[in-house]
Amino acid sequence: SSGATYPNIPLSSPLPGVPKPIFATVDGQEKFETKVTTLDNGLRVASQNKFGQFCTLGILINSGSRYEAKYLSGIAHFLEKLAFSSTARFDSKDEILLTLEKHGGICDCQTSRDTTMYAVSADSKGLDTVVGLLADVVLHPRLTDEEIEMTRMAVQFELEDLNMRPDPEPLLTEMIHEAAFRENTVGLHRFCPVENIGKIDREVLHSYLKNYYTPDRMVLAGVGVEHEHLVECARKYLLGVQPAWGAPGAVWMLTAQWHSTRGGSSRWRETCQMSALRPPRFQSSHIYGGARELLLLEEDFIPFAVLNMMMGGGGSFSAGGPGKGMFSRLYLNVLNRHHWMYNATSYHHSYEDTGLLCIHASADPRQVREMVEIITKEFILMGRTVDLVELERAKTQLMSMLMMNLESRPVIFEDVGRQVLATHSRKLPHELCTLIRNVKPEDIKRVASKMLRGKPAVAALGDLTDLPTYEHIQAALSSRDGRLPRTYRLFR
Amino acid sequence: QAAPQVVLNVPETQVTCLENGLRVASENSGISTCTVGLWIDAGSRYENEKNNGTAHFLEHMAFKGTKKRSQLDLELEIENMGAHLNAYTSREQTVYYAKAFSKDLPRAVEILADIIQNSTLGEAEIERERGVILREMQEVETNLQEVVFDYLHATAYQNTALGRTILGPTENIKSISRKDLVDYITTHYKGPRIVLAAAGGVCHNELLELAKFHFGDSLCAHKGDVPALPPCKFTGSEIRVRDDKMPLAHLAVAIEAVGWTHPDTICLMVANTLIGNWDRSFGGGMNLSSKLAQLTCHGNLCHSFQSFNTSYTDTGLWGLYMVCEQATVADMLHAVQKEWMRLCTAVSESEVARAKNLLKTNMLLQLDGSTPICEDIGRQMLCYNRRIPIPELEARIDAVDAEMVREVCTKYIYGKSPAIAALGPIERLPDFNQICSNMRWTRD
């Protein structure tokens, strides 16, 4: 029996005969240093070292729903689900997973509105294999009929699950983007519309990939790797490679990056009110009032992030002890005063060229009007006096959130990759902390006032019988006190 | 001859025991943030029918003020530091931890010491908290997975302490008194049963000095005997809650496995990885290392499944949680049991090799960030009284082979009567005897 060969020693006692570990030691504070090299074809290679025997590396591409204006909506979502399927060198997804497992690796693809990431976490010793595999996955997918059929099903299931989820957040996020940016850039649907699932095929995908999966729109990023070694691997697998869809040719012109008009045009300022009636599923009504930050400049990004922290909020019932933002405005002014509200949370969605600061609120449908007014008043107050103590608290919390998130290797990977993709360099955590520390009350007032001069976007979900009209919400947001215009009705 | 050595790119876990028995354990990665917390060998298992819910109630009272700080002072202090304070109670452990900037470590330890030793436990706050806990109970009831796991414990460990819920029944939440809380602390919050664990930017010597200062003269060992761990017998049995109005059926099926330190636990973890997890949005290609995933995907048998191996000191539950449509409940369960029988009789060497790799990967990748590392340290110190070095863990996993998986699975699964919890449209779920008979290999 094999029972005899297996150590019959409880886990509380050391196993004899195991090699003695020699541990690493820390000399002072961890140093952050991001190195960037650009290859001859324009592809950027970025790296960052880190403790641990594992590394996270991957390819980030300027691709996502925002680039689908001239394509079928849903391609990026479709590609996300298709990722890590068979390639020129690997016959199946299973073969890819097996190869990775030998290096203790796992893989994942994530698409957001503006970036697609193909990432692998694995033992650092497998670097060469992993970069080779990533290059093949990104540039030489086979996209077989069978895989496309499987993907159609997976997308369909994901959409179904999305509609069955008790949490309305993903749907509301989709709706507020649509309201704020209409049928353009980040306002395009992140999820594949049901009617497009059957239309997306190999040809459609190839024409999209040809335009967007080009070396100058890619970054190979690695955390926990030697920079020189990573560059060497990049040269070997990502330079002078002809992708499966052929060389990028004249078609390039089609890229027609709509966002290059940079959000200033008045056409874009048009806003729509979206409402969907789904009373059976949501017993509460949700509104998602947002205001666009137009022309998101770097100097505004940090104050907005601080403002978002200052607004804070959360659920009226939420787990967790102190530290969840109990002294943020949405707790102090909203949730602590109006116990009938279920939720009031501030969200900050930021993109390369634009952004959204939103407040999500929910309550019983009978109190929708009151809820909207409470939120519009909070928007107006953003442009008023900022208390120094609350500002300092928000700044400290933003810094701690930043540094705590950056404890995680995949988060560092994403931060390195996204920054290098957007700006060709990386602002290091301590540099960001300095920018945060320098935010003054005037900065908050400046960005908030600028935001409030734009047109608002509203998304609402649930029983919306008593929801004020868009014009009334807009009027409230341009008023001095945030009050909704009085409506006179004879019968109520 | 010198012992073989292996060089690791991870820092060492340093452990020191104070005179009062409190253990201090930490891993220093030099970053600018850290996690520090108290892991206490006490949870709902130490409660009886009358005071079930006390450990959890106590966790709620921890942030309600101490002799030194009012609730408001505590909240402001934590929020202004950009820190987080959190706590959770399980059946066997109670945990209080803080995340903070590394420079604030001394303050974080002082606050933790204050809340577990000097909590006011004011009558007015206790009254107020009853409502909060009852509200939390409603939240838990909307999470069907948690409901099913509570049912599973209730049936598998019926009439024992592990069968009770962590929150306790409504009557108890309404009646637990200040005295119950104080008694629980004085009985269980003792040096030898507490671990002060930390990870991130933490220097062990500094942590040790802080521990001596804040805990050294208190939390002394038990005067009498350490309260005995009540034995919890497993009973193969079932709970069915049929509700045809629910859109999906939620089921958990488990057999009795082993406690934390049992040598067979590693092999059962490999078996658990062989069954794996699946969600229908993964599609067909994903997670092909799981045969069950292939079967359920091609047969459209369920929406998702998740294998689990929940360990306690001297027992454990090994099984599967699944969510299916009404029409596929029976076929899904049949596929699961067939796959379990295959583990006992015919699992191949290549499958096992793959599962071993996956298990190592999952374990190691989890250790990302100061909080997961600190949790690992705290939990392992309570369960194993040491932190198992990574090479040893790998060696233990490497030692598993297919024959052993078959042998160990046969020992714990084959012919055993399972505990079952089922909720929703479960009309088609076979009867208990039928399910039991499928715990043996039958050809079809």
Side-chain angles (χ1 to χ4, degrees):
Chain A
S1 145
S2 65
T5 60
Y6 191 72
N8 193 25
I9 294 166
L11 273 69
S12 45
S13 307
L15 197 65
V18 173
K20 187 181 175 313
I22 311 285
F23 292 99
T25 50
V26 183
D27 45 349
Q29 286 273 304
E30 185 180 56
K31 286 171 200 72
F32 283 101
E33 192 189 12
T34 306
K35 292 181 183 166
V36 184
T37 304
T38 306
L39 302 188
D40 293 341
N41 62 0
L43 184 136
R44 282 151 280 165
V45 183
S47 75
Q48 163 78 55
N49 43 1
K50 166 135 183 84
F51 251 142
Q53 70 187 83
F54 278 82
C55 63
T56 297
L57 67 154
I59 296 178
L60 292 93
I61 307 159
N62 263 326
S63 160
S65 52
R66 74 172 296 167
Y67 300 105
E68 288 168 358
K70 296 230 156 173
Y71 289 90
L72 272 178
S73 171
I75 293 180
H77 182 201
F78 212 85
L79 285 169
E80 171 189 281
K81 292 276 158 221
L82 253 177
F84 294 98
S85 295
S86 71
T87 69
R89 285 200 290 130
F90 297 93
D91 285 334
S92 65
K93 176 175 264 182
D94 197 32
E95 222 174 271
I96 291 178
L97 296 182
L98 258 174
T99 307
L100 286 174
E101 283 163 21
K102 287 187 186 128
H103 297 283
I106 52 162
C107 61
D108 180 36
C109 177
Q110 278 179 32
T111 300
S112 60
R113 289 172 196 279
D114 56 2
T115 312
T116 298
M117 295 190 298
Y118 295 81
V120 168
S121 287
D123 196 309
S124 314
K125 289 183 209 109
L127 186 68
D128 189 277
T129 313
V130 173
V131 176
L133 186 145
L134 277 167
D136 221 39
V137 162
V138 173
L139 298 173
H140 299 114
R142 287 190 200 170
L143 312 176
T144 66
D145 292 344
E146 197 198 349
E147 286 165 349
I148 288 178
E149 203 42 58
M150 290 297 267
T151 305
R152 287 189 181 130
M153 212 155 77
V155 170
Q156 177 84 40
F157 284 152
E158 189 174 0
L159 295 178
E160 280 174 26
D161 288 345
L162 197 67
N163 278 306
M164 277 167 75
R165 275 169 64 160
D167 171 22
E169 196 51 46
L171 272 180
L172 278 166
T173 306
E174 188 89 344
M175 287 163 65
I176 194 75
H177 278 84
E178 186 173 346
F181 302 99
R182 309 286 326 242
E183 286 151 20
N184 225 318
T185 62
V186 292
L188 293 168
H189 284 279
R190 187 171 117 35
F191 296 106
C192 183
V194 181
E195 63 274 16
N196 286 359
I197 293 178
K199 294 183 197 156
I200 296 174
D201 58 18
R202 192 158 181 260
E203 199 182 335
V204 171
L205 294 172
H206 269 186
S207 92
Y208 176 92
L209 290 165
K210 196 174 218 156
N211 272 331
Y212 294 116
Y213 279 37
T214 54
D216 54 316
R217 301 174 65 87
M218 289 183 191
V219 169
L220 170 69
V223 177
V225 296
E226 278 284 316
H227 187 71
E228 292 317 313
H229 192 185
L230 186 66
V231 172
E232 195 183 300
C233 295
R235 289 212 174 90
K236 186 163 154 196
Y237 296 108
L238 288 158
L239 194 59
V241 181
Q242 170 101 328
W245 42 85
V251 213
W252 231 103
M253 300 299 294
L254 251 179
T255 5
Q257 293 173 32
W258 281 75
H259 72 280
S260 61
T261 45
R262 296 273 168 183
S265 104
S266 62
R267 191 166 50 86
W268 282 26
R269 285 182 175 239
E270 288 171 30
T271 333
C272 66
Q273 176 188 349
M274 295 202 28
S275 52
L277 282 161
R278 298 171 175 258
R281 196 157 75 82
F282 296 108
Q283 284 162 357
S284 51
S285 301
H286 299 263
I287 63 150
Y288 207 154
R292 280 170 58 186
E293 312 157 12
L294 291 168
L295 285 170
L296 186 94
L297 302 170
E298 194 172 75
E299 64 192 48
D300 288 351
F301 166 72
I302 298 279
F304 268 121
V306 175
L307 175 60
N308 178 52
M309 213 67 196
M310 216 165 83
M311 299 310 295
S316 59
F317 178 83
S318 64
K324 61 186 175 191
M326 299 170 113
F327 297 94
S328 60
R329 287 190 181 182
L330 293 180
Y331 267 110
L332 292 181
N333 303 349
V334 178
L335 293 165
N336 294 356
R337 284 189 203 169
H338 309 285
H339 294 282
W340 46 271
M341 280 182 66
Y342 302 151
N343 186 304
T345 318
S346 176
Y347 290 91
H348 182 211
H349 303 281
S350 68
Y351 303 95
E352 199 182 334
D353 51 356
T354 185
L356 269 174
L357 187 87
C358 312
I359 293 177
H360 169 199
S362 60
D364 187 276
R366 283 165 298 186
Q367 280 164 302
V368 167
R369 190 184 155 82
E370 217 179 330
M371 169 171 80
V372 168
E373 197 169 68
I374 287 166
I375 299 303
T376 49
K377 282 180 180 169
E378 281 307 311
F379 266 108
I380 296 298
L381 286 175
M382 289 183 199
R384 300 281 162 77
T385 322
V386 177
D387 177 59
L388 268 177
V389 177
E390 75 172 337
L391 180 66
E392 282 313 305
R393 184 185 306 128
K395 284 156 63 175
T396 308
Q397 288 180 340
L398 182 61
M399 287 187 276
S400 90
M401 190 178 82
L402 176 74
M403 298 314 290
M404 285 174 187
N405 283 338
L406 288 171
E407 286 181 3
S408 160
R409 200 183 43 247
V411 176
I412 305 175
F413 159 77
E414 189 173 340
D415 182 47
V416 170
R418 277 180 181 274
Q419 286 204 44
V420 173
L421 196 59
T423 66
H424 292 251
S425 66
R426 179 182 184 221
K427 268 221 159 53
L428 293 171
H430 70 264
E431 296 174 292
L432 287 169
C433 285
T434 307
L435 293 176
I436 295 168
R437 239 178 250 118
N438 290 340
V439 171
K440 307 245 166 351
E442 307 84 88
D443 298 312
I444 302 291
K445 258 177 104 162
R446 173 173 54 81
V447 297
S449 313
K450 195 155 92 182
M451 173 178 75
L452 289 169
R453 284 196 296 272
K455 278 192 172 182
V458 181
L461 197 62
D463 177 352
L464 307 173
T465 323
D466 292 333
L467 182 74
T469 62
Y470 175 74
E471 287 70 28
H472 280 188
I473 295 175
Q474 192 182 12
L477 285 170
S478 12
S479 71
R480 279 183 49 83
D481 54 6
R483 274 175 197 271
L484 289 163
R486 297 298 293 270
T487 49
Y488 297 99
R489 272 191 261 173
L490 277 175
F491 307 102
R492 290 209 58 143
Chain B
Q1 194 188 333
Q5 295 184 331
V6 55
V7 178
L8 299 180
N9 191 23
V10 286
E12 184 174 10
T13 306
Q14 291 177 275
V15 181
T16 313
C17 190
L18 300 191
E19 270 172 44
N20 64 5
L22 183 130
R23 288 158 287 173
V24 181
S26 72
E27 179 188 297
N28 183 9
S29 61
I31 57 174
S32 65
T33 48
C34 68
T35 301
V36 57
L38 294 160
W39 267 253
I40 306 172
D41 167 29
S44 62
R45 186 167 178 179
Y46 289 99
E47 296 161 356
N48 55 43
E49 223 165 293
K50 295 248 169 57
N51 69 1
N52 175 209
T54 305
H56 177 256
F57 207 118
L58 201 51
E59 167 213 316
H60 270 253
M61 295 307 297
F63 309 141
K64 299 292 174 289
T66 68
K67 287 168 198 146
K68 254 195 235 176
R69 310 172 150 86
S70 70
Q71 180 176 347
L72 183 67
D73 292 340
L74 177 68
E75 289 170 357
L76 266 174
E77 188 171 359
I78 290 286
E79 297 267 349
N80 289 343
M81 281 160 73
H84 300 263
L85 201 52
N86 220 328
Y88 59 83
T89 312
S90 66
R91 286 184 168 79
E92 290 192 338
Q93 300 183 352
T94 303
V95 178
Y96 300 90
Y97 71 92
K99 292 184 74 159
F101 283 114
S102 302
K103 66 175 171 60
D104 293 328
L105 178 77
R107 215 154 28 132
V109 175
E110 191 265 318
I111 290 170
L112 287 169
D114 195 29
I115 62 172
I116 77 142
Q117 300 181 98
N118 309 315
S119 262
T120 321
L121 307 175
E123 297 286 358
E125 285 77 18
I126 291 174
E127 288 310 316
R128 206 177 321 130
E129 214 52 25
R130 295 190 204 285
V132 176
I133 297 172
L134 289 171
R135 175 90 192 266
E136 182 181 344
M137 201 172 190
Q138 287 176 355
E139 294 281 319
V140 170
E141 278 160 14
T142 63
N143 182 338
L144 298 177
Q145 183 169 347
E146 289 205 34
V147 172
V148 169
F149 274 96
D150 275 347
Y151 286 159
L152 184 69
H153 280 81
T155 194
Y157 296 113
Q158 48 191 280
N159 304 319
T160 75
L162 279 177
R164 289 189 274 270
T165 63
I166 297 164
L167 267 67
T170 308
E171 316 82 88
N172 290 9
I173 297 171
K174 286 182 178 161
S175 66
I176 286 169
S177 66
R178 184 173 197 276
K179 184 177 177 299
D180 291 319
L181 300 174
V182 173
D183 283 351
Y184 196 88
I185 296 182
T186 43
T187 315
H188 300 293
Y189 287 17
K190 294 292 178 193
R193 295 172 65 187
I194 302 179
V195 172
L196 175 69
V202 284
C203 161
H204 188 73
N205 287 337
E206 185 190 0
L207 185 68
L208 189 58
E209 288 311 310
L210 291 166
K212 281 182 191 156
F213 186 80
H214 295 295
F215 301 103
D217 302 326
S218 49
L219 300 173
C220 46
H222 294 274
K223 291 264 159 43
D225 292 334
V226 177
L229 192 68
C232 292
K233 188 179 166 297
F234 177 93
T235 308
S237 56
E238 62 173 11
I239 291 185
R240 292 176 188 231
V241 181
R242 183 173 158 189
D243 181 349
D244 290 345
K245 286 197 291 291
M246 286 173 57
L248 297 168
H250 301 253
L251 291 84
V253 184
I255 47 87
E256 184 179 23
V258 297
W260 280 113
T261 61
H262 197 286
D264 288 341
T265 200
I266 297 282
C267 196
L268 285 167
M269 283 159 100
V270 173
N272 183 56
T273 311
L274 275 159
I275 299 293
N277 302 315
W278 184 77
D279 184 304
R280 62 181 195 160
S281 70
F282 285 3
M286 203 58 176
N287 208 348
L288 281 173
S289 69
S290 157
K291 281 259 159 53
L292 187 62
Q294 293 173 30
L295 283 171
T296 53
C297 176
H298 290 133
N300 204 5
L301 295 179
C302 72
H303 281 218
S304 66
F305 71 76
Q306 205 175 311
S307 59
F308 59 84
N309 179 37
T310 308
S311 298
Y312 297 105
T313 305
D314 49 0
T315 180
L317 293 173
W318 184 98
L320 195 79
Y321 171 73
M322 58 210 114
V323 180
C324 339
E325 280 173 26
Q326 178 181 19
T328 61
V329 169
D331 289 345
M332 178 64 193
L333 189 62
H334 189 65
V336 171
Q337 290 190 284
K338 255 179 88 174
E339 183 60 11
W340 284 1
M341 291 307 105
R342 206 179 62 80
L343 288 190
C344 299
T345 53
V347 71
S348 73
E349 209 63 72
S350 65
E351 287 173 90
V352 171
R354 198 164 174 182
K356 281 156 63 180
N357 269 339
L358 271 176
L359 177 61
K360 282 191 233 168
T361 301
N362 292 342
M363 282 177 144
L364 295 177
L365 281 179
Q366 228 170 22
L367 301 176
D368 185 41
S370 71
T371 308
I373 294 174
C374 188
E375 295 218 339
D376 192 56
I377 297 173
R379 186 183 54 78
Q380 289 208 28
M381 287 302 300
L382 283 189
C383 297
Y384 312 131
N385 193 26
R386 64 182 186 128
R387 188 160 187 230
I388 302 176
I390 290 169
E392 179 184 330
L393 204 57
E394 289 180 324
R396 282 178 181 268
I397 296 172
D398 285 336
V400 175
D401 62 18
E403 194 189 339
M404 194 186 312
V405 172
R406 292 194 290 265
E407 198 172 291
V408 170
C409 284
T410 302
K411 184 167 155 195
Y412 295 100
I413 306 170
Y414 195 87
K416 295 284 185 284
S417 114
I420 302 162
L423 172 67
I426 48 165
E427 186 191 4
R428 299 190 190 187
L429 185 66
D431 70 49
F432 188 69
N433 288 334
Q434 177 68 47
I435 295 173
C436 285
S437 70
N438 284 339
M439 295 301 279
R440 294 174 191 281
W441 183 251
T442 44
R443 297 192 184 278
D444 59 358

